[in-house]
Structure formats: structure tokens, C-alpha cells
Amino acid sequence: MLNIVLFGPPGAGKGTQADKIIEKYNLVHLSTGDILRSELAAKTELGLEAKRFMDKGELVPDEVVIGMIESKIDSNKNANGFVFDGFPRTTEQAKALDALLHRKDIDVTGLIVLEVDHDELVKRLVDRGKGSGREDDKDVSIIENRIQVYEKKTIPVVEYYKSQGKYNPVNGVGDIEDIFTNVCSVIDKL
Ligand code: B4P
């Protein structure tokens, strides 16, 4: 089973590359951001609770996202593997994912980190905000908060996977197809 954690700051291109990876390797895409937005669109209790955090660029509480991921894994029992996009975002989430996968006798195969500089991230998210309708892309101060939250709470996840020998950085700036080629060469060696 191939289980990839696709990692990087907000706007690094995780969603963009995840779509291409799942098609090429026949994997299931689990994006916590997408799942939360669909809960929000359906106005579920979970979605309304998550909205309070997402609109400010803060992380949704760990227990909420961990529970969501578990039910998605359970509902895809015959999958060849998963691309985790935007999850784990805290060390607690990373530990919970390991525990959850180990109970099913599977493992994270590797972490792929898309590296993009700060100014490029802000530019991409401001551009996307012009048409996406996403509250968290509309305001530069919220975008900056998301990047700060990433640096404070999410970067430590890299150390967690480095200590397991699973860290693989890829330059996330440039042509989307070129980045995908580099991502695939990492996956093919895992
Ligand atoms: P996400 O949905 O994960 O949003 P994101 O970090 O902005 O990444 P996204 O996938 O959208 O951006 P991408 O890089 O693909 O999270 C949103 C919110 O949900 C979080 O702030 C948080 O509140 C909550 N949340 C989600 N997961 C959580 C968790 N595990 N725990 C707690 N809270 C959680 O693309 C960005 C833009 O760049 C796109 O417009 C794309 O077209 C463009 N782009 C991509 N590649 C490019 C390239 N090479 N060159 C130029 N542009 C490119």
C-alpha cells in the first residue's frame, strides 16, 4: 500500500499535485480542507464549528480532523493507498495518524514537502481569492496568519517524519508539470 503525506504551507500546491498523484497511482485523495469545506457547504454541525476557525486562518481542533480522517479511511477499505493532503498539520495529528494506520497494519510510506517561499504563497492565495469565494483567501492578514500558524504548529511535523527517515523535499516553485515530474521521481523511489 502506498500512503503519501503531501505537505507544505498554505498555497504550496498540495491540492494541485494531489489530483495528479491520485490519477497516476490510483490512490484515494483525503484532503481535510476539502472535507471541512464540504461539511461547511452542507451546513452540518461539524462544518459550522469548523468555520469559526477556518475563516480566521486558524487550525480546526485536532480531535475533529482526526475523527474525520478515521471515518474516511474506514469507508475506503479496498484502496491501493491514500494521499493525505493538508493532514497531519500538528504533531498530535501525526501521532494519531500513525496509531490509526498501525491498528490497520499499514504505514505512512513517505512525506513529500512542497517548498515555496513566503511571497509566492501570498501571491497565489490572493490570486485564488479573487475567484474562489473562500473566506480564508480574501484578506492578506488572514493569509499571513495561516502562514504563521503553519510555521508555528505545522512545521514541527517535518521533524516527526525526519526522525522516521521519511522526509522528501521537492521544490514547489515553477511549472506544475515539472513539479509533478519531481514528485513522481520521489514516489517511484519510495
Ligand atoms: P486547506 O484546504 O488544506 O488549504 P491550503 O493550505 O490553502 O492548501 P490548498 O490545497 O488549498 O492550496 P494549494 O496549495 O493546492 O486548508 C484550509 C483550512 O482548513 C486551514 O486553514 C484550516 O483552518 C483547515 N484545516 C484543513 N486541514 C486541517 C487539519 N488537518 N487540521 C486543522 N485544520 C485544518 O493551491 C494554492 C493555489 O496555488 C491554487 O490556486 C493553485 O492553483 C495555485 N498553484 C498550485 N501550484 C502552483 C504552481 N506551481 N505555480 C503557481 N500556482 C500554483
Side-chain angles (χ1 to χ4, degrees):
M1 216 178 174
L2 184 60
N3 294 310
I4 308 289
V5 174
L6 196 55
F7 194 89
K14 301 183 294 287
T16 307
Q17 295 296 327
D19 284 343
K20 301 173 82 63
I21 298 170
I22 55 158
E23 194 184 338
K24 174 163 178 178
Y25 295 93
N26 192 21
L27 304 174
V28 172
H29 185 188
L30 290 186
S31 158
T32 38
D34 286 351
I35 302 168
L36 289 167
R37 279 185 290 278
S38 70
E39 294 280 342
L40 213 154
K43 294 196 166 60
T44 64
E45 202 177 314
L46 193 157
L48 295 173
E49 156 88 358
K51 180 174 163 52
R52 298 197 291 124
F53 298 92
M54 294 171 79
D55 283 357
K56 289 185 280 186
E58 297 293 330
L59 295 181
V60 174
D62 286 339
E63 57 275 18
V64 175
V65 273
I66 291 165
M68 264 170 26
I69 281 284
E70 178 155 23
S71 74
K72 290 287 173 188
I73 293 175
D74 287 342
S75 59
N76 284 284
K77 286 205 161 55
N78 296 322
N80 287 331
F82 296 93
V83 175
F84 297 98
D85 162 6
F87 179 89
R89 253 178 163 96
T90 62
T91 308
E92 280 312 305
Q93 292 181 16
K95 288 180 183 163
L97 179 63
D98 267 355
L100 177 65
L101 294 181
H102 290 168
R103 283 203 296 277
K104 297 172 197 306
D105 246 353
I106 48 180
D107 214 351
V108 167
T109 318
L111 175 81
I112 297 181
V113 183
L114 295 172
E115 296 183 329
V116 178
D117 59 88
H118 171 275
D119 291 356
E120 172 72 12
L121 296 174
V122 175
K123 181 180 162 299
R124 287 183 190 180
L125 295 175
V126 167
D127 280 352
R128 185 172 66 184
K130 290 174 188 158
S132 69
R134 275 177 59 168
E135 290 296 325
D136 58 348
D137 285 346
K138 274 189 187 152
D139 186 320
V140 176
S141 67
I142 296 173
I143 291 172
E144 292 287 2
N145 187 44
R146 289 161 65 194
I147 296 172
Q148 274 177 27
V149 168
Y150 172 79
E151 284 166 1
K152 197 165 148 219
K153 296 189 175 164
T154 306
I155 284 280
V157 174
V158 171
E159 293 307 316
Y160 180 81
Y161 286 105
K162 260 188 191 166
S163 71
Q164 298 184 2
K166 292 179 178 171
Y167 165 72
N168 300 280
V170 170
N171 179 9
V173 181
D175 183 74
I176 288 169
E177 289 306 325
D178 292 342
I179 296 167
F180 183 56
T181 302
N182 293 334
V183 166
C184 292
S185 61
V186 169
I187 294 177
D188 292 340
K189 284 186 206 131
L190 289 175

